[in-house]
């Protein structure tokens, strides 16, 4: 061994040394060596018997192989050096250690992403030669591993040339168990899922599933993509249940949990069953294949419910840790129960009433079987009953939507649940817990007396000495049943309920604490009539909990929501504010002396108190918090503090309006403070995160202090433009655009003057929420109506030009980036308005599949009449909500939208009517200009505009 390789071995060993100093020195040495590609990379290849060397080699390839790759670092590996490294790697594919072979294969695959097929045409022929050599099974394994990694990069031109050569090799391996072991045959389906392999695959699936051979499960898992194997796969599915019951549910046989094959893939029985469920999901979700299982859908549901039973391991884990029970139930963890529940949902979605009938029929069968097991004294009878109720709960929404099945399920459950409730919690805690949650899911179709009985039982249960899972089920029932409960029950048992829930909080942790707080919130809302009497008890406890968990965003938000529920209860806001303000004042006045998270959390608490509060409450909060909150914005470098302080000030302005200027005794000072805050937040050098909520804040100033803001409009617009130019966050840009839109409305009927203002300010050349969509869309319409000459001088991005060059690979995307048309701004605005009409129409149509917006000759379109609706001020607001969700499905915080939409008179605009009138007026004011812009629209956009004009002419 030469000195270079010996040195590299020493460095690799030292990089694993427990001493931080030695380890750091070794890592630095390796980093320096990587700057000399030839000796370093070749030494790594020759040392791939050390797994760490293979990992470092893959990192080296990513950093130094391709100059155009993101993350590239100089120097680049030269062409002759690349060829040498590729040859050394291919020679290492027959390593007897499979982990090393896998690491080498990954390195080969990494290089192939850049070099194959153009610069490495010999790669696939070399791999095929290895596969054909039956005397070197290690080399066969390495070649198959490489091909399986390469297969994802094969396009439609490569596959036809490869199939005639490759498939016979793969077919021979799959159908020759006497020569090739199961780990080798596992890799063949990874290379391709072509139909030519089906015959050989059937050989592996037609035999029953053995209970003692995890390698057999693994090879079956690889064959899940070919339609002709449905029959044998069904045999696999059915025979698996018996094995799964014995090994995982009853725990009398080995389930092979926690075991992995040589490539790191899990080989437990549960992972095998989950793969079966995923394949069945694919079949049922496909219109082509769902007919294959329709004739046996009842049997499919019946067996699926069997797989939903709690395993012995789950019972053990959840009995010891209620927190884990709640987490696994709520988070839909990777398990047979979750996969089976998803399959049942897909069955109903794809099969309709036949799927619903299958579920109800199978539920009845399984309940009957569990009853027989109970009558014969079987100790595990409850598992199947619990699994059946779990199955029903997983498809509860779909069953309740079906008008026929809802009452049927309700009647069936009433008797079962009532009988099982008498069983007793200690004997079957998980079944008892499921009873509670089942009532909560189906209360709308059950007898009121039954639901009230369970509500009363849940109230008693949370205060009893019963297993934790039972209390979890009781809390779930309470959180869902309390909102619809009769006042009498709540008033009679309220004190006992609150006392029990508070006791639960003392010993709760993480997920269970979240559940208890959610239940407590529901109890506060349900007990509004007696809230004033319980506020002195609950508020201090919630404030202490909030303070002690202020650094935990989940628990602190839950506690804050309970406090908000207390605040909204009759007679509670004033005593609650009186408790909070003495505590909050010193925190905000001395932010640097507070623990992490306490200042930001306190600002959230103040904002909650001010939102929709009486004017005297707003004034009281202002006097304690205004000056400290302003200082936080002006002086803090903590972005979370700045964000929360901005929202707090926006809420104060929204609640105090003009009155707020007089509260300090110096209206000029208050206004200067507000403007100073705006100036800091709009500073282009401030990181975007700190300015995130400046849009909401400035809109409150414009809406509620218009006369004071009017003299600062030019400076404000200048600051807005500069802040937009430096912004790195799309949400911030969106909120700033909304301010411009609101200013357009404020400038009516002199919109041209506002455009002139914008043009006069030097500048270098996504809207979320229903309110934002309405304001910005109508502002665009106002801009278009001006026909200002400067608008036509601005060119913007138009339509994406579709490429006809076939599949877009990574290398091709670098060479040929997306191409867009260019269009003048007025044409783009007209296109956006047309898209808004199309989006609103889609929301109007909803689930009406017979409605066709494209057929513009249909004069009965609901859309047309929505423009004439006079009975409501905002008839299209619900459609805008749907649009907002479609544009940004992950948007969860609607506070800003609520704050603005409730105070801005522009929110009363009927968007459809506004667009109809604006577009009609625009087309009439300058017909040639309108026709010119109209020609640049897509056909659907033109249809939308044409419908507007035809409606106008009627």
């Amino acid at each position: 061994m030469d000195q270079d390789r010996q040195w590299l071995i020493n460095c690799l060993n030292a990089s694993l040394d427990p001493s931080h100093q030695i380890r750091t020195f070794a890592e630095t040495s390796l980093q320096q060596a990587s700057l000399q590609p030839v000796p370093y990379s070749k030494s790594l290849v020759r040392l791939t018997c050390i797994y760490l060397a293979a990992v470092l080699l893959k990192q080296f390839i990513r950093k130094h192989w391709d100059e155009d790759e993101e993350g590239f670092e100089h120097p680049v590996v030269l062409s002759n050096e690349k060829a040498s490294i590729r040859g050394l790697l291919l020679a290492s594919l027959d390593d007897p250690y499979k982990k090393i072979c896998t690491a080498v294969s990954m390195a080969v695959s990494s290089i192939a992403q850049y070099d194959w097929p153009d610069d490495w045409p010999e790669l696939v022929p070399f791999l095929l030669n290895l596969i054909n050599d039956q005397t070197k099974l290690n080399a066969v394994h390495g070649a198959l591993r490489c091909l399986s990694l390469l297969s994802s990069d094969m396009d439609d031109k490569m596959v036809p040339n490869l199939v005639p050569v490759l498939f016979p090799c793969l077919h021979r391996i799959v159908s020759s168990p006497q020569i090739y072991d199961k780990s080798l045959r596992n890799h063949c389906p990874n290379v391709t899922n072509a139909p030519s392999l089906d015959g050989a695959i059937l050989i592996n699936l037609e035999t029953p599933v053995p209970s003692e051979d995890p390698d057999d499960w693994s090879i079956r898992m690889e064959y899940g993509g070919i339609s002709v194997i449905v029959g044998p796969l069904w045999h696999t599915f059915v025979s698996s249940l018996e094995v799964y019951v014995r090994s995982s549910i009853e725990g009398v046989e080995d389930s092979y949990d926690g075991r992995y094959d040589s490539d790191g893939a899990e080989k437990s029985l549960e992972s095998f069953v989950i793969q079966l469920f995923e394949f069945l999901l694919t079949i049922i979700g496909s219109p082509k294949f769902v007919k294959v299982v329709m004739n046996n859908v009842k049997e499919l549901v019946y067996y699926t419910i069997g797989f939903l039973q709690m395993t012995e391991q789950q019972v053990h884990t959840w009995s010891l840790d209620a927190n884990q029970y709640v987490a696994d139930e709520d988070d839909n963890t990777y398990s047979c129960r979750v996969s089976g529940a998803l399959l049942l949902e897909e069955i109903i979605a794809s099969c309709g009433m036949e799927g619903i009938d299958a579920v109800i029929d199978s539920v009845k069968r399984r309940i009957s079987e569990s009853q027989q097991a109970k009558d014969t004294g079987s100790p595990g009878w409850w598992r199947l009953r619990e699994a059946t109720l779990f199955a029903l709960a997983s498809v509860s929404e779909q069953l309740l939507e079906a008008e026929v099945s809802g009452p049927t399920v309700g009647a069936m459950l009433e008797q079962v649940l009532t009988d099982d409730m008498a069983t007793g919690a200690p004997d079957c805690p998980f079944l008892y817990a499921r009873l509670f949650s089942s009532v909560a899911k189906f209360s709308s179709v059950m007898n009121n007396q039954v639901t009230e009985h369970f509500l009363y039982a849940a109230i008693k249960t949370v205060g009893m000495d019963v297993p934790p899972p039972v209390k979890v089920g009781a809390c779930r029932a309470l959180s869902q049943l309390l909102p619809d409960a009769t006042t009498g029950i709540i008033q009679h048992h309220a004190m006992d309920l609150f006392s029990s829930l508070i006791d639960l909080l003392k010993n709760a942790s993480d997920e269970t604490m979240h559940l208890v707080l959610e239940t407590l919130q529901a109890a506060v809302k349900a007990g509004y009539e007696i809230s004033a009497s319980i506020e002195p008890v609950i508020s201090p406890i919630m404030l202490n909990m909030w303070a002690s968990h202020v650094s935990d965003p989940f628990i602190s938000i839950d506690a804050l929501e309970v406090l908000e529920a207390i605040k909204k209860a009759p007679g509670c806001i004033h005593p609650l504010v009186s408790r909070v303000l003495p505590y909050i004042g010193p925190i905000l006045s001395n932010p640097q002396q507070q623990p992490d998270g306490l200042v930001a959390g306190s600002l959230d608490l103040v904002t909650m108190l001010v939102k929709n509060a009486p004017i005297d409450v707003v004034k009281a909060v202002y006097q304690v918090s205004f000056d400290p909150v302003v200082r936080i914005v002006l002086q803090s470098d903590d972005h979370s503090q700045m964000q929360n302080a901005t929202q707090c000030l926006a809420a104060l302005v929204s609640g105090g309006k003009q009155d707020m200027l007089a509260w300090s005794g110096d209206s000029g000072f208050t206004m200067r403070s507000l403007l100073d805050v705006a100036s800091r937040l709009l500073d282009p050098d401030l990181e975007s995160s700190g300015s995130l909520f400046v849009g909401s804040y400035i809109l409150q100033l414009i809406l509620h202090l218009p006369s004071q803001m009017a003299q600062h409009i030019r400076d404000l617009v200048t600051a807005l433009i500069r802040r937009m130019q430096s912004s790195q966050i799309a949400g911030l840009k969106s909120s700033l655009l909304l301010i411009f839109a609101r200013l357009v409305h404020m400038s009516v009927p002199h919109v041209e003057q506002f455009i002139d203002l914008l043009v006069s300010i030097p500048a270098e050349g996504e809207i979320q929420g229903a309110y934002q969509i309405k304001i910005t869309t109508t502002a665009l319409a106002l801009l278009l109506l001006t026909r200002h000459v400067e608008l036509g001088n601005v060119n913007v991005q138009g339509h994406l030009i579709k490429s006809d060059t076939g599949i877009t690979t990574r290398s091709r995307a670098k060479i040929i980036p997306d191409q867009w048309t260019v269009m003048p701004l007025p044409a783009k605005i007209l296109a956006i308005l047309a898209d808004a009409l199309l989006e609103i129409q889609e929301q109007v149509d909803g689930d009406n599949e017979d409605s066709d917006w494209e057929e513009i000759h249909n004069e009965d379109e609901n859309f047309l009449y929505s423009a004439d609706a006079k009975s409501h001020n905002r008839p299209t607001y619900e459609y805008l909500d749907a649009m907002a969700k479609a544009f940004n499905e992950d948007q969860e915080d609607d506070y800003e939208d609520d704050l603005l939409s409730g105070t801005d008179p522009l929110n009363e605009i009927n968007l459809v009517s506004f667009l109809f009138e604006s577009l009609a007026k625009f087309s009439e004011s300058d017909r040639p200009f309108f026709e010119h812009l109209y020609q640049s629209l897509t056909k659907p956009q033109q249809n939308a505009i044409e419908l507007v004009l035809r409606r106008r002419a009627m």
Side-chain angles (χ1 to χ4, degrees), residues 175 303 402 430 469 509 527 565 590 602-603 638 793 803 823 835 892 951:
S175 57
Y303 282 104
F430 291 105
S509 60
N590 300 282
S602 298
L603 290 164
D638 185 311
N793 294 333
S803 172
M823 60 169 51
D835 285 339
E892 294 181 356
R951 174 63 176 168

Side-chain angles (χ1 to χ4, degrees), residues 124-134 137 139-141 143-144 147 161-177 179-181 184-189 191-192 194 196-197 200 223:
V124 173
F126 180 87
L127 296 177
L128 292 176
N129 286 334
L130 289 184
I131 291 175
N132 284 317
D133 190 348
Q134 299 182 10
L137 295 185
V140 175
H141 178 274
L144 285 173
L147 282 171
N161 296 326
L162 187 61
V163 165
V165 183
L166 176 61
F167 277 20
C169 303
L170 300 180
H171 186 279
R172 184 177 63 254
I173 293 174
V174 170
S175 57
S176 305
I179 300 175
Y180 301 97
D181 63 23
L184 277 177
R185 287 181 287 138
N186 279 346
H187 287 302
C188 293
V191 178
T192 177
S196 301
L197 291 175
Y223 301 127

Side-chain angles (χ1 to χ4, degrees), residues 432-501:
Y432 217 73
R434 187 63 57 197
L435 298 178
F436 280 123
S437 57
S438 297
V439 172
K441 290 282 188 181
F442 292 99
S443 60
S444 62
V445 291
M446 296 177 66
N447 185 285
N448 288 337
Q449 291 182 337
V450 174
T451 56
E452 288 187 1
H453 170 72
F454 272 88
L455 176 62
Y456 175 65
I459 293 173
K460 287 179 54 181
T461 299
V462 294
M464 295 171 59
D465 183 17
V466 293
V470 181
K471 293 194 177 186
V472 167
C475 284
R476 284 204 175 102
L478 288 170
S479 63
Q480 296 184 58
L481 293 177
L482 281 171
D484 299 320
T486 58
T487 307
I489 295 180
I490 303 301
Q491 290 180 341
H492 188 66
H493 301 287
M495 296 309 297
D496 290 339
L497 175 59
F498 284 118
S499 176
S500 299
L501 291 174

Side-chain angles (χ1 to χ4, degrees), residues 665-681:
D666 185 347
S667 60
F669 174 78
T670 301
M671 193 65 212
R672 285 194 299 274
S673 298
L674 295 173
L675 291 173
D676 287 343
V677 167
S679 179
R680 169 106 202 268
L681 295 175

